[in-house]
Amino acid sequence: RCAVRTPLILDNVGTARAALEAVGALPDERTLAQALAGAHIAGRIQRVEARGPVYGDVAHNPHGAQVLAAAMSAPSRQVAGQTHLVLGTLADKDREGIVAALAPVASSWWLAATRGERGRPAEARAATGHADAGNRPGGGDNAAVSGHADLATALGAALAAARDGDRILVCGCFQVAADALDVLGAKH
């Protein structure tokens, strides 16, 4: 029996266990339990306290965003206030699919440019963000959408806007999740 409780980790543990069993290298239950006692995946629904809960996640495709939206809809993660969604995606990712999956949990959108060859500039994100966020459950016609030059600026703006009872969700790619954890001084 293991102490791991999140479905995402359980899925990964199940896959790893099956692979170990298939090659005849499955350790005994006690060893498995010890190995899994402190299991976590950095940047996967990772909670950090900073003016309320801030969740960092690497969700970089529609399926990952659906898993994240479902996790944020769980009763244990509900908040009385708004969900400020800080999103930064790479140019080669399905941004529209990610936005569609997250729209039901987003009250406002803080769009961050990403860097590197695959990065997406803030101007393009800001120009297309309202079309993606508007007219969707959770976002609606009045959803605030703003573009920012980088993750630190977008996260800073979301933190400044957050009120008691709100939460912030930061996601879109590994780069964004890592940068958010760095800005917040959290462990990777």
Side-chain angles (χ1 to χ4, degrees), residues 25-185:
L26 186 65
D28 62 80
E29 290 297 320
R30 183 172 185 255
T31 303
L32 281 173
Q34 287 175 337
L36 297 173
H40 76 284
I41 302 173
R44 291 309 318 243
I45 313 173
Q46 184 171 347
R47 182 180 172 144
V48 178
E49 285 300 321
R51 191 172 179 109
V54 177
Y55 292 92
D57 197 275
V58 299
H60 60 279
N61 58 43
H63 181 260
Q66 290 168 353
V67 169
L68 179 58
M72 291 295 104
S73 298
S76 64
R77 291 196 180 94
Q78 291 297 307
V79 293
Q82 305 292 309
T83 297
H84 303 275
L85 204 142
V86 179
L87 178 69
T89 60
L90 298 176
D92 59 351
K93 298 299 179 184
D94 180 2
R95 178 187 35 83
E96 290 78 16
I98 294 167
V99 168
L102 294 170
V105 298
S107 306
S108 60
W109 298 83
W110 308 85
L111 307 175
T114 50
R115 61 185 184 280
E117 289 180 18
R118 297 167 51 212
R120 182 170 285 170
E123 297 76 26
R125 300 214 31 79
T128 59
H130 193 274
D132 291 339
N135 299 313
R136 294 187 187 276
D141 293 331
N142 298 318
V145 179
S146 61
H148 301 273
D150 55 40
L151 182 277
T153 306
L155 179 54
L159 285 166
R163 301 292 174 246
D164 288 341
D166 289 358
R167 69 179 170 191
I168 297 173
L169 179 56
V170 185
C171 62
C173 66
F174 286 84
Q175 178 190 116
V176 165
D179 287 355
L181 293 174
D182 286 342
V183 168
L184 297 168

